Amino acid sequence: MRAARGVTAAVVLIVMGQQAVAADLAQAASVPQAGASATEVPSPWQTRLRALGVVTQDAGYVNAVPGSDLSYSNTVTPELDISYFFTDNIATELILGTTYANIGGQGTIGGLGEIGKVWLLPPTLTLQYHFTDLGAFKPYVGAGVNYTIFYNQDAGSADALKVKNTFGTALQVGFDYMVDQHWGVNFDVKKLFLKPDFDVRVDGAKLTGKAALDPWLIGAGVTYRF
């Protein structure tokens, strides 16, 4: 009888021990491993690198010169943008890039040829809405403000040229197609409404005018979400 009781007690202890181990394993499996949540929740920061085509509107005028018109060169330049997501749908984007424009005379001032060349730095900040219910395809729209800085200004046929820094507005539409959690491809179109004033001196005469650049910025590149 004592032996039977001892065997019974041993069996009970073994069963209880197995149940305790199983409970511990189940609890351990239910606890997220260190770093697991970091891979499930995306970072709010995102960056893109694009090749950007700058297509300007050929319009403008010199004050007091009837029939005067202006034209500008189109360019291709690299562009970097940095985005911050406040929510899955709402983000802000800072667009950075620089390029140049050759300014030519048209209309009644067509004989001037190339009036000058200016470099411009147009940092643009937009507020965006991202559509998130289309899987890897993530389109967005945005609107914002722009401040364009003109620098390294060289006169051509003019004696002197000064294009003035100015504010503008921007509209934007584009999409990301995400290959995985971090990497994707991007296509983006922006319209800047940009009409800076300028001073010019030709044959000793000081004149003023307005350059209606209003460029389209058409870009394609890669996206990285941190």
Side-chain angles (χ1 to χ4, degrees), residues 46-120:
Q46 178 176 280
T47 186
R48 300 186 185 93
L49 182 63
R50 302 186 183 103
L52 191 70
V54 182
V55 182
T56 57
Q57 172 181 292
D58 291 334
Y61 55 86
V62 177
N63 293 322
V65 182
S68 60
D69 202 354
L70 298 171
S71 65
Y72 319 97
S73 58
N74 300 324
T75 58
V76 176
T77 187
E79 181 237 42
L80 173 71
D81 77 57
I82 301 169
S83 299
Y84 184 85
F85 283 77
F86 299 102
T87 69
D88 289 341
N89 300 105
I90 305 298
T92 187
E93 179 183 79
L94 177 63
I95 303 156
L96 301 171
T98 188
T99 188
Y100 67 89
N102 295 316
I103 303 174
Q106 298 288 319
T108 56
I109 59 172
L112 293 176
E114 185 175 312
I115 298 171
K117 177 181 178 179
V118 299
W119 282 82
L120 53 151

Side-chain angles (χ1 to χ4, degrees), residues 136-220:
F137 179 65
K138 301 184 182 299
Y140 57 86
V141 294
V145 294
N146 160 271
Y147 184 72
T148 299
I149 301 167
F150 296 91
Y151 65 100
N152 285 357
Q153 304 192 43
D154 299 317
S157 59
D159 301 324
L161 175 67
K162 174 64 175 179
V163 183
K164 300 178 180 180
N165 300 342
T166 187
F167 282 97
T169 56
L171 296 177
Q172 178 183 33
V173 63
F175 68 85
D176 293 300
Y177 187 87
M178 302 305 295
V179 179
D180 59 27
Q181 183 180 0
H182 297 289
W183 291 98
V185 294
N186 173 261
F187 181 76
D188 182 272
V189 176
K190 290 179 285 291
K191 175 67 172 180
L192 300 187
F193 298 92
L194 185 62
K195 295 179 173 64
D197 295 322
F198 65 85
D199 298 330
V200 64
R201 190 170 70 247
V202 180
D203 294 333
K206 294 181 179 180
L207 301 168
T208 62
K210 187 177 290 290
L213 295 165
D214 290 345
W216 288 95
L217 309 181
I218 304 170

